[in-house]
Amino acid sequence: MPADPLWDRRGPPADPARAITSVHDFLERCRAWGTDRQIPELLERLQQAPSPTDAAKLHQWTTWVAFLDHALSELRDGTLDPWFDEL
């Protein structure tokens, strides 16, 4: 298996509090991409010309946003804190 190029680009380990904040910020940006851009574009396309492909993509994006909501809630309530202690 080839080496992961991102592994070579990582910086020094962040303290757990900073790592949690960084992940939270990243997930918020991912969520915004779905809710502010992808989902509205798909809804507009479906209103103009419904297709099974776009309907499936809409389902995928709404599922992705729901997953991100769950992950963000676990970051906020501390459920995932142990994951960051091991960095």
Side-chain angles (χ1 to χ4, degrees):
M1 179 174 191
D4 185 345
L6 291 178
W7 188 255
D8 294 334
R9 291 177 39 204
R10 67 190 165 100
D15 67 277
R18 178 68 184 133
I20 290 168
T21 303
S22 295
V23 170
H24 182 273
D25 292 346
F26 175 75
L27 294 181
E28 286 284 359
R29 291 181 71 182
C30 291
R31 187 184 188 286
W33 181 266
T35 58
D36 298 345
R37 181 175 171 150
Q38 294 298 320
I39 291 173
E41 287 178 8
L42 286 165
L43 286 171
E44 186 175 325
R45 282 203 314 253
L46 285 165
Q47 288 175 341
Q48 294 174 2
S51 75
T53 300
D54 284 339
K57 287 180 184 178
L58 179 62
H59 174 73
Q60 292 167 344
W61 275 104
T62 56
T63 300
W64 173 243
V65 168
F67 170 78
L68 293 173
D69 287 342
H70 181 79
L72 286 163
S73 73
E74 288 191 344
L75 281 171
R76 286 184 196 109
D77 71 16
T79 301
L80 298 179
D81 285 2
W83 287 26
F84 296 93
D85 292 337
E86 299 173 10
L87 292 177

